[in-house]
Amino acid sequence: MAKFVLAGRADCPYYAKAELLADYLQKNLPDFRIHKITQHPDIWEEWLKDLCKKNRWSHNKSPIIWRELLDRGGKGLLLGGYNEFLEHAQLYYGVTSSMTTELMKRVAQENLGTHIEKELEKESLKGLVNPLQVWITSASSLACYHLIPILTSGEVFGPQMEISINLFDNKHTEEKLISHKQEAEDLASPCLQSVSICTQAEEAFHGAHVIIILDDHVDKEINSLEDCIRSRAPLCQLYGSLIEKNAHNFAKIIVGGKTFVNLKTALLMKYAPTFARNIIAVALGVEGQAKAALARKLKITPSCIKDVIIWGNISGNNYVDLRKAKVYRYESAIWGPPHYSRPVLSLLFDREWVNREFVVSLKTLTATGRQFGGMLAAHSIATTLKYWCHGSPPGEIVSLGVLSEGQFGIPKGIVFSMPVKFENGTWVVLTDLKNTEISQQAMTRMANDLIQEQLVALGELANFQPYQSETDLNQEDVKTTLPTKNDHQERRKVSDDYKDLFTHLMPDDEKDLILSDGDLPDPGTEPTSLVPPALADQP
């Protein structure tokens, strides 16, 4: 069998003529085989030089043809260029080419176009083979420890998607990062291609497709609420500039945790404006806490409760809305198929529990911050990412912190938790929901606090002045303590009714509940129209 290799510059007319002749011979001669190689004009000369050097040939034009000695092994036998191949075909096979010069040139241009298309296709296929680059900040945290096994399980990005996890944190956490890296590798997950550690800021987020922002470390004493807020701005500015410089063009950035989630999301949007649409805040942790409290009351599993909406500040002053909430598989005299549901409010006959104890139970769960720890933070982040990549369950409402465009009467330009759905790799605000109006007082309270957080963080406002209704002003002042970084250190007092919203800055701190009687519904109203205020300060 005769096997020839025909290589040439993609736009070479003589390569085109030799190709036509070789195709004819292969079609009509059972023992003739041809393998074709094209190279872009920009790299042809370098490629030919390397080929001739490797095989000790002398040739400097396009095309080049050689015969592979399949029956003997060793290097190929150089035949020459177009003229030598034409003579060989005429001498051995009695065949010649009659292609005109005009046709040669036209085919050469077609060959160049085909070559470019194939190269682009190869590059796109490489993109599919290359792993998804996932970066996690504050990676020495407990939340990251719980998050890694979920990400590598294949449940978030899909079982066929390989990922590379990059753990980013301060230099002094390197020992813990190494421990996380080793444990992640010990998982031997088929989805995990590699785990790397980064402690140099300038190297962060290189080629990142997904960036997960966890709660940052607090390494110094906190003396005031304003200091706490302002301390977030420099780090978000650093992250924003690195994202703009190093991240992939369509990177997904997700902010999770229990401290200043809305604020950090807004600051990242300011300092990484190119990615503003792709920066979101996770609210599923707060949503999960509300579902669990309801489930304990109804004696069902939390997964049976859907469509609880979290409005406002995810880690501060928010509104837990049960008007759309449904219960599935509830054991009662009324039964139905699996898709049958009943409104949550129609099953909660204890109005006092809804209006008071429900809010207090959420506060009790999160009073120390431990309940919103690593496990809950990791699961809520992973679930949000899963929905972002593959879509949320059809017909289900998901709470998400996004940049307001004026929906539902929310002021523009603030990050506000609201109802959305995920589809086609993005999220859509559910503006068509009916009966979702929020009282002006509740909206003003939540929006005012979020706006002031941003102003204080950016240095445009010296002191945080929480919104107070007339009812608030008549209430007795509430005083709480704000802990330092060490649980055993002396707690510092922080005054003002609202400052207790931010006492969750440390893992083991306590905070009180802010609830205005003016926001409570009339206990005499029907359950179907009841709007549980739940103006709880969620961590």
Side-chain angles (χ1 to χ4, degrees):
M1 176 179 288
K3 179 178 180 180
F4 290 86
V5 179
L6 170 62
R9 203 175 65 238
D11 64 345
C12 175
Y14 292 100
Y15 173 86
K17 192 169 185 177
E19 179 187 30
L20 180 65
L21 178 58
D23 287 342
Y24 176 84
L25 292 174
Q26 182 170 250
K27 182 178 180 181
N28 292 277
L29 300 175
D31 293 332
F32 186 93
R33 293 290 179 271
I34 185 72
H35 175 66
K36 292 176 283 188
I37 301 173
T38 57
Q39 295 293 340
H40 194 277
D42 295 341
I43 65 172
W44 161 254
E45 290 186 3
E46 189 68 27
W47 183 87
L48 179 62
K49 182 179 178 181
D50 292 341
L51 176 70
C52 292
K53 182 178 180 181
K54 177 182 177 181
N55 293 283
R56 298 181 181 179
W57 293 337
S58 178
H59 191 86
N60 56 11
K61 294 180 180 180
S62 174
I64 180 173
I65 300 106
W66 69 91
R67 180 174 179 177
E68 294 286 351
L69 304 178
L70 300 178
D71 54 340
R72 302 182 193 176
K75 69 176 184 177
L77 179 64
L78 178 64
L79 182 61
Y82 164 73
N83 290 329
E84 288 79 11
F85 181 61
L86 190 64
E87 290 176 4
H88 179 85
Q90 202 168 15
L91 178 62
Y92 283 91
Y93 309 114
V95 178
T96 188
S97 175
S98 58
M99 179 183 285
T100 63
T101 302
E102 183 180 350
L103 182 58
M104 288 168 57
K105 292 180 179 179
R106 188 166 71 247
V107 173
Q109 290 304 311
E110 291 176 357
N111 283 344
L112 178 59
T114 302
H115 174 81
I116 293 174
E117 288 180 4
K118 287 183 176 179
E119 289 299 310
L120 291 175
E121 185 178 354
K122 286 180 181 178
E123 288 299 318
S124 65
L125 290 175
K126 284 181 181 179
L128 295 176
V129 174
N130 290 339
L132 194 73
Q133 296 293 330
V134 180
W135 282 77
I136 306 175
T137 70
S138 302
S140 62
S141 65
L142 188 60
C144 177
Y145 183 81
H146 288 288
L147 183 59
I148 291 173
I150 306 176
L151 296 179
T152 58
S153 67
E155 295 180 5
V156 176
F157 304 109
Q160 305 302 321
M161 176 63 71
E162 292 188 353
I163 66 172
S164 285
I165 295 179
N166 303 272
L167 306 176
F168 177 42
D169 211 328
N170 298 326
K171 182 69 176 178
H172 68 268
T173 66
E174 191 167 6
E175 184 176 345
K176 187 170 288 187
L177 294 180
I178 292 173
S179 176
H180 284 7
K181 176 179 183 295
Q182 292 174 342
E183 283 202 58
E185 291 170 341
D186 291 344
L187 294 174
S189 169
C191 295
L192 181 61
Q193 188 176 101
S194 64
V195 184
S196 62
I197 292 172
C198 177
T199 57
Q200 302 296 323
E202 61 274 11
E203 299 174 4
F205 311 139
H206 271 292
H209 298 101
V210 175
I211 299 174
I212 301 171
I213 308 294
L214 300 178
D215 285 328
D216 48 288
H217 304 289
V218 181
D219 298 323
K220 59 182 180 180
E221 292 187 0
I222 300 171
N223 297 317
S224 70
L225 169 63
E226 288 77 11
D227 288 342
C228 296
I229 296 175
R230 293 190 190 101
S231 68
R232 269 57 190 175
L235 189 61
C236 288
Q237 184 174 9
L238 174 63
Y239 285 171
S241 63
L242 291 171
I243 290 170
E244 285 282 330
K245 178 182 177 182
N246 298 333
H248 188 273
N249 291 338
F250 302 102
K252 292 178 169 65
I253 299 120
I254 185 166
V255 183
K258 62 176 186 281
T259 60
F260 298 105
V261 176
N262 294 56
L263 174 63
K264 289 187 290 187
T265 305
L267 292 174
L268 286 173
M269 290 178 177
K270 174 179 175 62
Y271 295 120
T274 306
F275 298 85
R277 170 69 187 181
N278 270 14
I279 305 176
I280 61 175
V282 178
L284 289 186
V286 182
E287 189 178 308
Q289 290 176 324
K291 290 178 180 178
L294 292 168
R296 283 188 285 271
K297 178 66 174 178
L298 296 173
K299 294 181 174 55
I300 58 174
T301 58
S303 62
C304 294
I305 300 176
K306 308 290 184 184
D307 299 344
V308 173
I309 302 175
I310 307 299
W311 299 91
N313 191 346
I314 297 166
S315 52
N317 197 352
N318 55 45
Y319 192 104
V320 181
D321 190 348
L322 302 182
R323 287 172 291 180
K324 298 294 181 182
K326 303 181 184 69
V327 178
Y328 293 82
R329 302 191 300 277
Y330 184 70
E331 295 184 8
S332 67
I334 302 175
W335 282 83
H339 62 270
Y340 174 75
S341 65
R342 300 173 66 181
V344 166
L345 292 177
S346 69
L347 302 173
L348 294 173
F349 304 107
D350 188 345
R351 310 296 175 78
E352 181 65 22
W353 184 90
V354 174
N355 295 339
R356 295 289 183 181
E357 293 184 32
F358 173 61
V359 176
V360 173
S361 66
L362 294 180
K363 179 257 181 181
T364 302
L365 284 173
T366 58
T368 63
R370 291 190 182 94
Q371 292 294 330
F372 200 93
M375 190 180 300
L376 180 56
H379 183 267
S380 58
I381 290 170
T383 303
T384 304
L385 266 176
K386 178 183 177 181
Y387 290 168
W388 201 350
C389 295
H390 305 291
S392 53
E396 189 170 320
I397 299 173
V398 179
S399 300
L400 186 71
V402 298
L403 187 66
S404 169
E405 298 177 355
Q407 307 96 325
F408 307 105
I410 302 167
K412 294 182 180 180
I414 62 174
V415 174
F416 203 92
S417 179
M418 59 184 78
V420 306
K421 66 176 179 179
F422 287 92
E423 61 181 7
N424 302 322
T426 187
W427 47 266
V428 179
V429 178
L430 298 176
T431 54
D432 56 345
L433 288 178
K434 297 180 181 180
N435 191 30
T436 56
E437 296 80 10
I438 303 175
S439 70
Q440 186 61 44
Q441 181 176 331
M443 179 66 75
T444 302
R445 177 191 291 273
M446 292 184 288
N448 179 78
D449 293 344
L450 287 169
I451 292 170
Q452 288 206 57
E453 278 186 15
Q454 292 188 43
L455 293 176
V456 172
L458 297 173
E460 299 176 15
L461 188 65
N463 298 308
F464 187 95
Q465 296 294 332
Y467 170 80
Q468 288 184 315
S469 65
E470 292 183 4
T471 306
D472 295 327
L473 294 173
N474 293 330
Q475 291 178 342
E476 184 179 356
D477 287 345
V478 178
K479 294 186 178 182
T480 60
T481 57
L482 184 67
T484 58
K485 63 179 180 178
N486 192 318
D487 293 341
H488 303 292
Q489 290 179 344
E490 186 181 29
R491 296 173 180 261
R492 296 178 178 270
K493 291 187 177 181
V494 179
S495 61
D496 291 334
D497 290 347
Y498 187 79
K499 291 190 177 181
D500 60 332
L501 290 175
F502 299 92
T503 56
H504 57 280
L505 290 170
M506 293 299 136
D508 295 323
D509 51 350
E510 295 185 358
K511 66 176 187 296
D512 289 333
L513 179 68
I514 294 295
L515 180 63
S516 171
D517 290 335
D519 294 325
L520 293 175
D522 183 0
T525 56
E526 293 299 318
T528 54
S529 62
L530 184 64
V531 185
L535 284 173
D537 311 322
Q538 303 298 323

